[in-house]
Amino acid sequence: MASEEHQNKSLAAKAAWPLLVLTAALQVYMGLSSVAYVFMGVANPASGLGGWTTATIGGLQSIAAVAVFVLAARRDLRGTTLAVAGSIVLGWLSTLPSVVEQGLDFHGDDRVTPVYFVVSPLLAIVAATLAWRNVYLIAAALTVSAMTFLGILIVIAFAIIIAMYGF
C-alpha cells in the first residue's frame, strides 16, 4: 500500500486524515438528506423523475462516503481520496435535476452557491486524477477536502465575530 510505504509525519499528512473523514461524514449527511427529500414531504429538489433521480444519486453518494470510512480504517490514502472525490461528484450530480429545472442564478443574492457548484466538482476531479496516478497523495487529499476546510474556517470566523460583537 502506498500509505504504508511513505510514513510521512508532516503536518499536512496529519491534517489530511481528519479532513477526509469529516468530508465523508458531511457527504453521508448530504446524501441521506437527498434521499429523505422524496419521503418527507419536503419540497423536492426537482419534481417527478428528477426528485427520484436526486434520491437515487444521493443514496449512491452515501454509499461512496461510507466506503471512505472503511478505506480510512485501512489507512489507504489513495483509495480514501478516490472515494471522497467520487462521493463529491455524485453529490454534484444529484443537484443537476434541480439546476436543469430551476436554472442556476449567477447574479442572485447568494453568490456562493454558483461558485460552489463550479469549484467543488473541479477540485474533486483534480484530486481524483492525482490519486489515480498515485502522485502527490497528500496534496490530493487536501484538495478534495478543501471545500470542507473552507467551511470550517468560515464557521470559526463567524464564531469569533459573534463572540466579539454579539448578534
Side-chain angles (χ1 to χ4, degrees), residues 16-138:
W17 286 106
L19 284 172
L20 285 171
V21 170
L22 182 60
T23 303
L26 292 172
Q27 292 298 314
V28 168
Y29 172 75
M30 296 301 290
L32 291 177
S33 66
S34 294
V35 172
Y37 279 139
V38 177
F39 301 107
M40 289 180 11
V42 177
N44 290 335
S47 60
L49 185 61
W52 286 101
T53 303
T54 300
T56 303
I57 295 176
L60 292 173
Q61 175 187 8
S62 297
I63 291 169
V66 169
V68 170
F69 298 121
V70 174
L71 292 167
R74 292 179 50 209
R75 304 298 285 181
D76 180 12
L77 187 59
R78 179 178 184 239
T80 304
T81 304
L82 285 169
V84 169
S87 178
I88 289 173
V89 170
L90 283 169
W92 178 76
L93 287 173
S94 72
T95 62
L96 289 181
S98 63
V99 169
V100 167
E101 186 175 301
Q102 300 168 6
L104 190 61
D105 188 11
F106 284 99
H107 303 291
D109 292 334
D110 187 16
R111 298 194 194 282
V112 176
T113 302
V115 171
Y116 177 77
F117 184 78
V118 173
V119 171
S120 182
L122 289 177
L123 289 175
I125 290 169
V126 166
T129 303
L130 289 173
W132 185 262
R133 291 182 177 193
N134 208 12
V135 294
Y136 306 115
L137 290 177
I138 295 170

